[in-house]
Amino acid sequence: MKSVSASDYTVAVIGAGAMGQGIAQVSAQGGMKTLLVDANAAVVDKARQSILGRINRLVEKGRVEPGAAAAAESNLHAVGNLADIAEADCVVEAVFEDLDVKRTLFREIEAVVRPDCIIASNTSSIPISSVAQACEHKGRVGGLHFFNPVPLMKLVEVIEAAETTPEVIAALTEIGKRMTRVPVTVKDMPGFLVNMGGRAFTSESLRIAHEGVATPTQVDAIMRDCCHFRMGPFELMDLTGIDVNYPVSGIIYRGYMDDPRIKTSPNHTAKFDAGQFGRKTGQGWYRYEDGKAVDVPSPDLVPDAAPATRVALMDEGDRLEAFVKELGLEVIEDDGTVPLIAAPIGTDATHLSVDAAVDPKRFVALDLMFDTTKRVTLMTAPGADFKYRDAVAAAVIASGRKVTAIKDSPGFVAQRMCAMIGNLGCYMAEVGLAAPDDIDLALELGLNYPHGPLKLINLMGVEEALEVLEELHEITAEDRYRPTMWLKRRALLELPIHTPS
Ligand code: NAI
């Protein structure tokens, strides 16, 4: 097998669509001779021109040196048909997402290239092992899964199928690096790493909205302001398109043997069935005009109440005491008239007030686990007297923050979402889908998460994250919330969450 660092290393990209063009661009810019082929011969020259146009625009913006652009141009070749790729050292396939099409093509590729030529697929959902079935030399087949738009998305998943040899994985990793990508090695499992890892963010948000705990706008605001996600899950679903994320959710869920952790909710099906796919149809979770969301309901509580000045605390955590002090509230013994407040972890207002035998009507729970400088989530039990909640909200608002008031929910919104994202990250580490650090890196680069899922567990505190899940599990009696053994063991042993098994 030729060394990937060789100056004449040659990559053939098959399929000159959206992905193939991006892959060919980074390959040519990475200094490799790049051959671009498509079944539709008419599109290849045009594709090459589009790629060169994009590189030239980067030159105009000062992001690429003119000399580097000229080198990329001379590296990039549009070729007429498959027979012209015989010299390739590596083939990257980016054709239609259809197993039969890919298998037929892989057979044709094998008939043309040398026996030591690597053949990789950019499929986003087809198991690499089942594509490799078509080949005589299965050990040379792997996955090289890029993200759209390729030149901007640094991550590439190197997929290790059942028979991919270690040499091929090492070479694909080097090829990814030569393309100036950040490669992570991933097992050939449904959705690979990023698409699987992203399930919790959408599926838990859908569940929260389905239960009526919070509206999509409220969930989005909490995830942006308190947890620093660039986009809320509903905004993200509208952007990627519910026509894409709904079927993908189903494929991955079934691929993981109907694991309830990643099960979607009926409100997702309803959006899909209604053809409300998001931005592309003008209506998804939000309504769009000229590409902008319109008539977005406010996520903020605007109470018509005087700010509380005195409260009674139901727990004595440092967070709550510091927060109350910051708001300038006087803390008194419960006299039967003041709001009773607490900052619970994992549990809900109902269970907390019943367990503590306090008046649920006056009880207000605050989520103080994440960033509270912009927004604070308040939660009450059914039957609560909103006058107490609104007085607490008014005091929080007077401190310059916004308030989102939700229905009762173990773990509010943010704790629940982050615990589920983190638990899924732990599951991926547990089953060896990828190395713990790579799981974080992939979700940071592939989905723009502010922190990878394991880092998110660290941020919550390993024991606190476990507590959130255990409370969710106990209160809901649903398998969906069962903590992973990875998380449990590290919490029990007081070990960092990234500790390998
Ligand atoms: P596309 O529809 O834009 O392009 C596919 C191209 O393949 C077309 O130009 C078509 O003429 C060509 N083609 C089809 N059959 C062929 C064959 N037998 N031989 C040669 N060329 C053939 O598709 P896109 O979006 O570029 O996707 C390509 C692959 O990349 C799919 O497997 C997809 O799942 C995967 N992918 C797509 C992502 C995306 O966001 N679009 C992200 C990551 C992976």
Side-chain angles (χ1 to χ4, degrees), residues 270-291:
K271 280 278 166 222
F272 179 79
D273 288 346
Q276 295 182 347
F277 296 154
R279 282 172 182 264
K280 63 178 77 163
T281 59
Q283 175 75 57
W285 297 105
Y286 298 97
R287 197 163 73 73
Y288 297 87
E289 273 174 20
D290 301 325

Side-chain angles (χ1 to χ4, degrees), residues 243-406:
D243 56 329
V244 175
N245 62 51
Y246 177 70
V248 167
S249 296
I251 291 168
I252 300 177
Y253 171 65
R254 287 187 294 277
Y256 276 92
M257 307 297 147
D258 299 1
D259 187 335
R261 282 191 188 116
I262 53 171
K263 188 176 191 168
T264 193
S265 294
N267 47 357
H268 204 191
T269 316
K271 280 278 166 222
F272 179 79
D273 288 346
Q276 295 182 347
F277 296 154
R279 282 172 182 264
K280 63 178 77 163
T281 59
Q283 175 75 57
W285 297 105
Y286 298 97
R287 197 163 73 73
Y288 297 87
E289 273 174 20
D290 301 325
K292 283 213 162 69
V294 292
D295 302 332
V296 177
S298 171
D300 307 336
L301 178 69
V302 184
D304 186 14
T309 52
R310 301 188 312 157
V311 291
L313 304 192
M314 279 184 54
D315 64 18
E316 289 166 3
D318 292 347
R319 275 193 199 123
L320 183 61
E321 283 173 13
F323 189 70
V324 163
K325 201 165 159 199
E326 210 189 312
L327 295 191
L329 297 175
E330 185 189 345
V331 177
I332 62 163
E333 286 292 315
D334 183 18
D335 63 358
T337 67
V338 292
L340 299 163
I341 66 172
I345 292 174
T347 187
D348 65 0
T350 301
H351 285 78
L352 202 74
S353 53
V354 170
D355 290 348
V358 298
D359 181 2
K361 285 200 173 62
R362 289 185 290 124
F363 179 52
V364 184
L366 292 83
D367 189 358
L368 303 182
M369 187 179 260
F370 299 93
D371 185 358
T372 54
T373 55
K374 281 196 199 152
R375 178 177 301 278
V376 175
T377 306
L378 302 187
M379 174 172 85
T380 45
D385 183 340
F386 286 153
K387 130 178 135 198
Y388 296 96
R389 178 198 71 182
D390 290 357
V392 173
V396 174
I397 292 165
S399 72
R401 298 166 166 94
K402 291 185 167 148
V403 165
T404 294
I406 63 166

Side-chain angles (χ1 to χ4, degrees), residues 4 76 185 255 411 485:
V4 178
L76 184 60
T185 308
M485 293 311 295

Side-chain angles (χ1 to χ4, degrees), residues 52-88:
L52 296 180
R54 277 194 284 275
I55 296 175
N56 282 332
R57 279 195 291 284
L58 293 174
V59 173
E60 283 159 20
K61 287 182 187 160
R63 293 204 203 129
V64 169
E65 291 295 319
E73 181 170 355
S74 69
N75 286 336
L76 184 60
H77 305 271
V79 299
N81 56 56
L82 223 47
D84 299 327
I85 65 160
E87 63 175 305

